[in-house]
């Protein structure tokens, strides 16, 4: 049991460590626009999978910063798509 | 004649001499004196000095002219600069005026507000609900009394999110309810989320069991399309509802956008089960609820894993499909295991959404007991009437029809036995109590068939969506328990179920807000 758990643990750490940190920001306005467009496409897909997609205008941008971390965890959403979603939700 | 020639020659010579001498005699008469010469010299000297002064003056004047020319150039440059600055100022003023008319942009307000809030942010979210339950409970099972329900219940589940930076989050959920037996408060979850990399999260604390989908994502009142939980996640759970431990989780995109897979692995304190009032471990005992998980008998740690895949790309416009598989293994007492596994799916496209799970568990029991096997599952389907225009109805009615979502769900649980003590101390809402926590987070359990060893339920729902997170839900449950299995009393004496299996029905209505 312990061997299995330790193996899974190290495999997960190795998988997770292969990419950079979450806090990367868009490099330019053009990149930001691309992320917003991508986020607008992903928003109804990722959100509706579990619950009705809530309009970006429902919450203040700083509130989306917290909500999206919560949702990223629940949905195990890939980080690059999390960035697109947060840019869209905060762009309204 | 000769004399005349001589005379003429002499006269010519005299004349020549005269011509030569006369001018010399004249100069000699006008020649200046010494005074004149001094005067002339003095004048010459003065003239030289005048010339020198003139030259100096000319030099000074040249310098002055150059200076003036330089100053003139500077003035011209300054004038040009002033004109440029004036133009720029005019443009800035114009821009400010336009901005003033349009107001600050959201990003400017956001930036200013973020500075005002500081880097540590805090948010209270969650859900609240008000429910009515009518369960006539026309009869018990095998004469075990059942309690009628005709009551209102109020439930408030605040979730606190605290974000100290962009890679850390704390999440805590409290469950507070007021029902027929009073008020109760419970801690549903207390989680530290750490995001060290893009594709891995470390989660520490008391958390909903990430087995399948329902415990983790479908239990909040406004998220669950129904008011009650499906039978496998009620008080007779097939897999424990919560764990105290550590998770590693993350997601990857493996193909086009939307084609993802994700993993969750965890370890915790392990499962726990109720005992009879005489302290016996018995088949069919209730599994731990979230709070008891924190005090569970920790004979050994449990481990679990879940993998899910999403095969449909977003650009295909075929909706979203999730396929998942989960395992859970842990010792519930010294040397005895609980093994569980499950599969799940959900799919939505357009107005249609459907989901389902199947899960099984096997608990090793002390000698003299048969093993405690449990199986359960549910299948749910709903269709939003949004966008549907019924031509025979007026627009005012269609507007309300568009907010409706009809639903149907079938759920079931099979187990070998049920403890009579568990039934008599029933605590799930809808079973004579108001205690929350039997189902993680916000889910209610109002199904009177729960304590039949082989429970079956068909639930019909009609949701009226006021907004994406505000809903008035209505549910009608048909309880159709099957024969089979046994009831165990506090001494472990078994009574076969089958002499009389009472069917029943329940109506529930709930107004709930996700905030």
């Amino acid at each position: 049991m312990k061997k299995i758990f330790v193996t899974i643990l190290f495999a997960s750490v190795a998988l997770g460590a292969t990419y950079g940190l979450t806090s990367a920001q868009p490099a330019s306005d053009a990149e930001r626009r691309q992320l917003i467009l991508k986020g607008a496409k992903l928003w109804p897909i990722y959100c509706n999978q579990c619950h009705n997609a809530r309009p970006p205008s429902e919450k203040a941008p700083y509130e989306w910063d917290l909500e999206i971390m919560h949702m990223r965890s629940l949905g195990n959403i890939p980080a690059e798509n999390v960035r697109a979603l947060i840019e869209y939700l905060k762009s309204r | 004649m000769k004399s005349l020639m001589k005379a003429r020659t002499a006269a010519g010579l005299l004349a020549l001499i005269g011509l030569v001498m006369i001018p010399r005699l004249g100069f000699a008469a006008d020649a200046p004196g010494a005074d004149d010469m001094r005067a002339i010299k003095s004048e010459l000297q003065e003239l030289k000095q005048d010339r020198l002064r003139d030259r100096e003056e000319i030099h000074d004047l040249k310098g002055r002219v150059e200076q003036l020319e330089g100053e003139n150039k500077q003035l011209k440059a300054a004038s040009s600069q002033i004109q440029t600055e004036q133009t720029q100022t005019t443009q800035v003023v114009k821009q400010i005026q336009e901005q003033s008319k349009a107001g600050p942009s959201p990003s400017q307000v956001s930036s200013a507000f973020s500075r005002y809030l500081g880097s540590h942010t805090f948010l209270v979210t969650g859900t609240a609900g008000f429910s009515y339950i009518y369960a006539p409970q026309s009869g018990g099972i095998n004469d075990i009394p059942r309690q009628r329900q005709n009551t209102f219940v109020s439930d408030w589940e605040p979730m606190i999110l605290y974000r100290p930076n962009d890679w850390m989050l704390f999440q805590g959920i409290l469950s507070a309810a007021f029902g027929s037996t009073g008020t109760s408060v419970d801690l549903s979850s207390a989680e530290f989320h750490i995001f060290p990399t893009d594709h891995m999260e470390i989660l520490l604390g008391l958390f909903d069991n990430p087995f399948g989908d329902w415990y983790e994502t479908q239990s909040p009142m406004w998220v669950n399309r129904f008011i009650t939980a499906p039978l496998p996640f009620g008080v007779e759970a097939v897999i424990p509802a919560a764990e105290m431990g550590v998770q590693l989780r993350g997601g990857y995109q493996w193909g086009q956008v939307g084609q993802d897979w994700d993993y969750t692995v965890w370890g915790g304190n392990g499962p726990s089960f109720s005992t009879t009032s005489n302290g016996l471990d018995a088949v069919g005992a209730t599994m731990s609820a979230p709070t008891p998980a924190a005090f569970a008998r920790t004979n050994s740690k449990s481990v679990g894993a879940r993998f899910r895949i999403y095969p449909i790309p977003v650009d295909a416009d075929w909706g979203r499909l999730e396929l998942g598989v989960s395992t859970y293994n842990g010792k519930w007492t010294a040397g005895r295991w609980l093994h569980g596994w499950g599969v799940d799916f959900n799919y939505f496209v357009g107005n249609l959404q459907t989901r389902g799970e199947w899960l099984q568990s096997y608990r090793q029991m002390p000698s003299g007991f048969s093993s405690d096997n449990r199986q359960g599952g549910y299948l749910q389907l709903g269709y939003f009437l949004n966008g549907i225009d019924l031509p025979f109805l007026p627009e005012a009615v269609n507007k309300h029809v568009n907010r409706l979502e009809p639903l149907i769900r079938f759920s079931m649980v099979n187990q070998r036995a049920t403890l009579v003590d568990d039934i008599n101390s029933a605590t799930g809402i809808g079973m004579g109590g108001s205690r929350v926590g039997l189902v993680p987070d916000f889910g209610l359990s109002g199904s009177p068939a729960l304590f039949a060893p082989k429970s079956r339920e068909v639930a019909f729902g009609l949701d009226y969506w006021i907004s994406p997170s505000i809903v008035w839900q209505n549910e009608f449950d048909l309880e159709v328990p099957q024969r089979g299995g046994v009831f165990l009393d506090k001494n472990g004496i078994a009574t076969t179920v089958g002499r009389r299996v009472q069917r029943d029905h329940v109506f529930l209505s709930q107004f709930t807000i996700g905030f």
Side-chain angles (χ1 to χ4, degrees):
Chain A
M1 176 69 73
K2 282 180 182 174
K3 284 180 181 174
I4 294 170
F5 184 69
V6 170
T7 304
I8 292 172
L9 180 76
F10 278 103
S12 301
V13 171
L15 279 170
T18 53
Y19 286 80
L21 289 173
T22 309
S23 56
Q25 297 295 317
S28 64
D29 286 345
E31 190 183 348
R32 187 181 300 273
R33 277 195 294 275
Q34 287 300 315
L35 283 174
I36 290 170
L37 290 173
K38 185 180 177 185
K41 197 183 288 184
L42 294 176
W43 167 70
I45 299 294
Y46 279 107
C47 302
N48 279 323
Q49 187 178 320
C50 296
H51 57 74
N52 293 331
R54 298 173 72 162
S57 57
E58 264 193 16
K59 293 184 183 291
Y62 89 93
E63 292 178 319
W64 284 122
D65 280 333
L66 289 112
E67 288 279 4
I68 204 73
M69 287 178 88
H70 171 56
M71 292 303 166
R72 176 191 169 186
S73 175
L74 280 176
N76 282 350
I77 303 171
E80 57 268 34
N81 293 339
V82 170
R83 289 193 196 99
L85 285 168
I86 194 67
E87 287 297 331
Y88 168 69
L89 290 169
K90 292 168 78 172
S91 68
R92 61 207 176 96
Chain B
M1 200 53 186
K2 280 189 176 178
S3 61
L4 186 58
M5 287 295 290
K6 287 180 179 176
R8 285 184 180 178
T9 303
L13 286 170
L14 286 172
L16 185 59
I17 293 167
L19 283 171
V20 173
M21 294 301 293
I22 284 171
R24 287 189 173 268
L25 289 173
F27 268 112
D30 296 337
D35 293 340
D36 291 338
M37 287 303 290
R38 277 195 294 274
I40 288 167
K41 283 181 180 176
S42 175
E43 279 184 17
L44 283 172
Q45 192 66 33
E46 284 177 6
L47 284 170
K48 279 182 181 176
Q49 287 175 351
D50 286 346
R51 191 180 174 194
L52 191 62
R53 277 198 299 274
D54 288 344
R55 280 184 176 174
E56 286 175 353
E57 279 185 11
I58 287 167
H59 184 263
D60 290 345
L61 286 170
K62 274 187 178 175
R64 181 66 181 152
V65 166
E66 285 174 359
Q67 185 184 355
L68 288 171
E69 282 178 348
E71 288 176 356
N72 191 34
K73 278 183 185 173
Q74 286 178 351
L75 285 171
K76 279 183 178 174
S79 173
S80 174
Q81 190 178 353
I82 287 166
Q83 280 182 347
T84 306
E85 286 176 355
Q86 194 174 2
T87 307
Q88 287 174 345
T89 306
T90 307
Q91 286 174 346
V92 169
V93 168
K94 194 177 175 184
Q95 194 177 350
I96 289 169
Q97 283 174 339
E98 286 172 357
Q99 281 181 349
S100 175
K101 282 180 188 171
S105 68
S107 61
Q108 287 172 322
V109 174
S110 168
S111 174
F113 198 58
S114 295
R115 286 196 300 275
Y116 173 76
L117 290 171
S119 59
H120 289 214
T121 46
F122 183 83
L123 177 66
V124 178
T125 177
T127 188
F130 177 74
S131 315
Y132 169 71
I133 302 170
Y134 177 69
Q137 299 288 0
S138 53
I141 299 175
N142 282 33
D143 295 330
I144 295 171
R146 313 290 294 275
Q147 190 168 355
R148 293 168 66 94
Q149 288 287 305
N150 182 7
T151 188
F152 295 106
V153 178
S154 193
D155 196 359
W156 179 41
E157 319 284 353
M159 177 167 69
I160 293 164
L161 297 173
Y162 175 71
R163 178 183 184 270
N165 53 45
D166 61 2
W167 55 272
M168 195 180 291
L169 180 77
F170 173 79
Q171 170 195 313
I173 299 173
L174 292 171
S175 305
F178 187 89
S180 58
T181 58
T183 305
S184 63
V185 178
D186 198 1
L187 175 65
S188 287
S189 72
E191 304 170 0
F192 295 90
H193 299 255
I194 299 164
F195 301 89
T197 75
D198 269 3
H199 295 271
M200 187 179 73
E201 175 196 347
I202 302 167
L203 192 156
L204 318 167
L206 173 64
F207 50 81
D208 295 340
N209 206 333
F211 187 100
D213 264 352
W214 206 89
Y215 282 138
E216 213 180 41
T217 65
Q218 294 302 302
S219 54
M221 277 190 285
W222 73 275
V223 174
N224 183 12
R225 294 292 210 264
F226 286 88
I227 299 167
T228 62
L231 293 178
F233 307 101
V235 291
E236 294 291 273
V238 176
I239 295 291
E243 267 291 7
M244 175 80 92
V246 183
Q247 289 183 31
L248 289 175
R249 55 195 299 161
Y252 285 82
Q253 181 180 316
W254 56 267
Q256 297 176 46
V257 175
Q259 290 183 306
D260 307 326
W261 67 272
D262 68 55
Y263 68 93
T264 307
V265 293
W266 68 96
N269 278 347
S272 179
F273 291 83
S274 67
T275 57
T276 67
S277 54
N278 282 353
L280 297 175
D281 288 317
V283 174
T286 303
M287 286 187 186
S288 64
T291 299
F295 307 101
R297 288 179 289 179
T298 54
N299 300 289
S300 177
K301 297 291 178 287
S302 63
V303 294
R306 178 185 64 190
F307 294 92
R308 298 184 294 198
I309 190 165
Y310 308 83
I312 301 177
V314 170
D315 288 331
D317 286 332
W318 295 341
R320 179 90 165 158
L321 172 66
E322 173 199 305
L323 301 168
V325 57
S326 308
T327 64
Y328 180 83
N329 303 277
K331 286 181 182 174
W332 66 277
T333 187
R336 296 191 181 92
W337 286 86
L338 171 76
H339 299 291
W341 65 270
V343 292
D344 67 272
F345 88 99
N346 77 65
Y347 176 67
F348 81 88
V349 60
N351 291 4
L352 175 73
Q353 64 90 11
T354 179
R355 62 176 61 248
E357 295 187 45
W358 177 259
L359 47 165
Q360 289 191 185
S361 65
Y362 164 83
R363 181 167 65 128
Q364 293 176 335
M365 296 298 292
S367 58
F369 287 89
S370 57
S371 59
D372 188 358
N373 293 344
R374 302 182 187 192
Q375 303 150 357
Y378 78 97
L379 181 64
Q380 170 181 317
L381 188 139
Y383 192 84
F384 246 118
L385 301 186
N386 186 24
I388 290 178
D389 186 25
L390 299 173
F392 54 88
L393 291 177
E395 189 181 339
V397 178
N398 266 323
K399 191 173 69 177
H400 294 290
V401 170
N402 284 176
R403 294 175 178 274
L404 292 173
E405 184 183 19
L407 300 141
I408 187 168
R409 182 186 70 197
F410 172 75
S411 61
M412 59 164 288
V413 167
N414 281 339
Q415 46 185 355
R416 288 185 168 165
T418 300
L419 298 192
V420 174
D421 281 348
D422 284 343
I423 300 172
N424 289 333
S425 61
T427 50
I429 289 174
M431 293 302 296
S434 68
R435 209 175 81 185
V436 291
L438 289 169
V439 178
D441 290 353
F442 320 120
L444 301 183
S445 178
S447 303
L450 279 172
F451 287 101
K454 298 189 184 305
S455 301
R456 304 287 185 275
E457 179 187 85
V458 179
F460 299 94
L462 186 63
D463 292 354
Y464 180 84
W465 290 94
I466 296 160
S467 82
S469 61
I470 303 175
V471 60
W472 173 33
Q473 298 173 304
N474 296 281
E475 180 179 332
F476 183 73
D477 296 343
L478 291 175
E479 312 297 342
V480 284
Q482 305 295 297
R483 296 180 183 211
V486 296
F487 287 119
L488 289 175
D489 68 11
K490 60 185 178 182
N491 297 313
I493 306 298
T495 306
T496 302
V497 177
R499 181 160 51 87
R500 192 169 58 137
V501 182
Q502 183 69 43
R503 296 190 172 192
D504 228 319
H505 57 275
V506 185
F507 172 74
L508 305 97
S509 187
Q510 176 175 272
F511 180 77
T512 184
I513 295 177
F515 52 89

